[in-house]
Amino acid sequence: ALLQVHPYRFNGHSPADPEHERGRKDEKQWARAEQDPIKKFEDKYTASGMFTEDELKEAKKEVLASVKAAVKFADESPMPPVELAKQLEYPDAPDTDYNTKPAPAFADAVNARTISPEQMETITAHIAALREKAKTGDISIGDAINLAIHEEMLRDPTTTIHAEDLQAGSSYDIPKLTQQTYGRIRAADEIIDEGHFIGKALGEAMNGYRPIVELMNTNFGIFGMAEISSAGNTFATTGGQFDMPMTIVGAGGTAPNQALGAEHSQPFHAYVMGIPGLKICTAASPDAAYGITKSMIRDNGPCFLFAPVKMMKESKGTLELDKCAPLNKAALLHEASADNVASGNAVTVLTYLHGVKEAQLVTDEIMEEGFDIDLIELRSLKPLDMDTIRKSLERTHKICILDESTQSGGVGATVSARISEELFDLLDAPVKRLCMDDAPVPYASTMEVAVVKRGSDLVQGVFDLCTGQY
């Protein structure tokens, strides 16, 4: 059904718009008499005898008194303190330990009422199989996220999920068996309109639910930027009255030889960095993906997890089961030897998503050339873990960023600026950024090599920093 409404616009776009004052006096008088919905309501129900003119006047007096009281309260209230702006950035502090958050007391009762014995048997077996894979080191990133989602949806029945092709498990099995277990209301198979179902999730979060949005490819989130922005702002714009426990997760980033073309290779993680109120994380391993997903679902604010699109099924590992990961910490994956640090042949390397794999593939090559690296995975892009970066720089005094976003406005640009502003005295050389070119990512690998940086670029970058060629 379509409802087309033709309202009368009494004012322009803003008080600064002069259009509403240009020769419209007579027109506005007519509109107030004939088009004002409040006036029409009053005329209709006084004419029908629903209420009398005197009753209408009395009601208007009550309304006016209420408005005046509200204005008086606002005028007499002190202005909010300057500290409140930062306090309203996140509902949950960045250093929250999500392992200590209690599960709802009603979970078992609701699950028993809404999940049939057959469904519970199926999902219990599915979870057990994934947990066994997690112990043997055979679980993928996609399956690790799926396991975290099921554990959290059973732990808290207010958790919901939205995704395209949800019944089929989407592209990487992230929402696998959710609708089959929890039904179509809690697990919605969505139309191809990201703004639509991110908006649905936003509304659910404002009403006490914990929605998860699986984007398949995170670049599809471009079509829901307005809704993502609203999610980030809601806690602050409502004065902390509305939490926004929404988790967005998907595969993204740009791997070397990705062959997905420009539209599917955009650095959406960089696009959303400027949205206030978002916690933004990356995970290049199953264990990181599992722990971060669990924490994000328990967080009372909007969170965005990016996983590496070309490693979703390829990367396998073990999990620290039942453990939530911090949402504000980087991870030191390889530490340079004390000898290389002492001789000035060590470099701090910051990277994330596919850059982690690229760096790990060339670490031995770097060491064979007589150099070494502190390899740090930026699992939290926002807030940024400056403490871990500082600790490493105090050893190496040189830093290289293998960045999966563009030179202009990219993640590396933000990180480089923070380092230059806050850790400048620790640097013995300029920050070296190995970032994507600003050109669209080509499909052809012969062209793509000019745009997307990879392990071989990191080898050269470390060599340049250690030999003073910068």
Side-chain angles (χ1 to χ4, degrees):
L2 292 176
L3 179 64
Q4 190 173 26
V5 180
H6 296 274
Y8 182 83
R9 188 169 182 172
F10 284 96
N11 297 316
H13 177 72
S14 74
D17 183 354
E19 194 61 37
H20 63 281
E21 295 297 342
R22 293 178 181 169
R24 295 180 59 201
K25 184 176 180 180
D26 293 341
E27 179 186 330
K28 292 174 84 170
Q29 286 179 341
W30 164 82
R32 291 197 185 280
E34 303 295 335
Q35 298 295 309
D36 186 345
I38 297 177
K39 181 71 166 57
K40 283 177 170 284
F41 174 85
E42 293 171 354
D43 291 345
K44 177 178 179 179
Y45 288 103
T46 51
S48 67
M50 181 66 68
F51 45 75
T52 65
E53 288 286 352
D54 289 339
E55 289 172 331
L56 178 60
K57 289 178 182 177
E58 202 59 39
K60 285 184 174 181
K61 283 183 182 179
E62 291 180 18
V63 170
L64 185 59
S66 179
V67 171
K68 285 183 176 179
V71 172
K72 184 173 184 292
F73 173 79
D75 287 340
E76 294 176 352
S77 297
M79 294 298 290
V82 65
E83 299 85 5
L84 186 59
K86 191 63 177 175
Q87 292 170 6
L88 291 175
E89 183 178 12
Y90 303 119
D92 288 349
D95 61 353
T96 297
D97 182 357
Y98 299 94
N99 295 290
T100 63
K101 287 202 168 191
F106 55 76
D108 290 341
V110 172
N111 287 337
R113 191 170 67 247
T114 58
I115 302 173
S116 71
E118 294 77 16
Q119 291 169 323
M120 185 61 78
E121 183 180 355
T122 299
I123 196 58
T124 300
H126 175 68
I127 289 173
L130 290 180
R131 289 175 71 90
E132 184 59 30
K133 283 185 176 182
K135 294 173 184 176
T136 59
D138 296 320
I139 195 165
S140 67
I141 292 176
D143 282 344
I145 297 174
N146 177 250
L147 174 59
I149 286 172
H150 279 297
E151 289 177 347
E152 294 303 310
M153 291 188 78
L154 289 171
R155 175 183 177 275
D156 186 346
T158 65
T159 307
T160 64
I161 187 167
H162 303 261
E164 297 167 12
D165 295 337
L166 177 137
Q167 283 194 56
S170 192
S171 293
Y172 307 104
D173 288 340
I174 288 175
K176 183 178 180 179
L177 289 182
T178 52
Q179 188 172 99
Q180 292 89 333
T181 303
Y182 312 108
R184 289 183 294 176
I185 294 178
R186 286 187 65 194
D189 202 333
E190 296 290 358
I191 62 173
I192 304 177
D193 183 349
E194 286 72 21
H196 162 76
F197 60 85
I198 294 174
K200 283 175 63 178
L202 192 154
E204 288 177 355
M206 292 184 73
N207 283 278
Y209 293 90
R210 294 187 173 275
I212 304 162
V213 174
E214 195 269 336
L215 284 178
M216 194 179 294
N217 186 301
T218 53
N219 285 305
F220 301 159
I222 290 171
F223 301 101
M225 281 292 280
E227 289 75 17
I228 296 171
S229 177
S230 292
N233 288 319
T234 294
F235 182 67
T237 56
T238 61
Q241 295 181 80
F242 282 91
D243 288 342
M244 184 51 62
M246 180 168 73
T247 299
I248 304 177
V249 61
T254 308
N257 301 311
Q258 183 162 292
L260 290 177
E263 293 293 338
H264 282 37
S265 301
Q266 299 180 74
F268 192 59
H269 48 282
Y271 297 175
V272 298
M273 283 276 284
I275 296 178
L278 292 184
K279 290 176 182 170
I280 304 170
C281 293
T282 69
S285 66
D287 189 54
Y290 172 81
I292 290 172
T293 299
K294 291 178 77 71
S295 294
M296 285 187 166
I297 295 171
R298 297 185 191 188
D299 192 275
N300 285 320
C303 300
F304 207 137
L305 174 60
F306 290 85
V309 65
K310 299 301 280 187
M311 296 167 58
M312 295 298 290
K313 297 181 179 180
E314 164 197 309
S315 179
K316 302 287 180 66
T318 59
L319 305 182
E320 191 172 357
L321 290 167
D322 305 314
K323 182 73 178 292
C324 294
L327 299 183
N328 67 330
K329 290 295 180 184
L332 178 63
L333 304 181
H334 174 84
E335 188 172 30
S337 70
D339 288 345
N340 278 313
V341 169
S343 62
N345 288 327
V347 175
T348 297
V349 174
L350 307 180
T351 192
Y352 57 95
L353 295 177
H354 303 93
V356 174
K357 175 186 175 183
E358 291 296 306
Q360 289 174 328
L361 287 174
V362 298
T363 298
D364 287 345
E365 182 179 347
I366 290 171
M367 294 174 69
E368 287 170 3
E369 293 189 2
F371 308 113
D372 209 343
I373 61 173
D374 273 3
L375 177 57
I376 296 174
E377 179 184 0
L378 296 177
R379 291 181 179 175
S380 175
L381 298 183
K382 197 172 78 168
L384 186 62
D385 182 6
M386 292 299 293
D387 289 339
T388 297
I389 297 172
R390 179 186 294 104
K391 185 177 179 181
S392 177
L393 258 185
E394 287 172 345
R395 301 175 70 242
T396 68
H397 303 289
K398 294 178 285 295
I399 196 159
C400 181
I401 305 171
L402 181 55
D403 184 16
E404 213 158 307
S405 59
T406 48
Q407 183 178 36
S408 300
V411 170
T414 297
V415 175
S416 176
R418 291 282 303 273
I419 293 169
S420 297
E421 291 168 359
E422 301 174 33
L423 306 176
F424 182 78
D425 290 345
L426 296 176
L427 293 171
D428 286 346
V431 176
K432 190 167 191 67
R433 291 170 55 200
L434 303 174
C435 53
M436 290 166 54
D437 191 84
D438 285 345
V441 178
Y443 180 88
S445 58
T446 53
M447 297 167 61
E448 180 251 31
V449 70
V451 177
V452 180
K453 296 298 185 289
R454 58 205 71 213
S456 56
D457 297 296
L458 179 60
V459 173
Q460 185 65 50
V462 170
F463 177 85
D464 290 348
L465 283 171
C466 289
T467 57
Q469 300 182 45
Y470 40 81

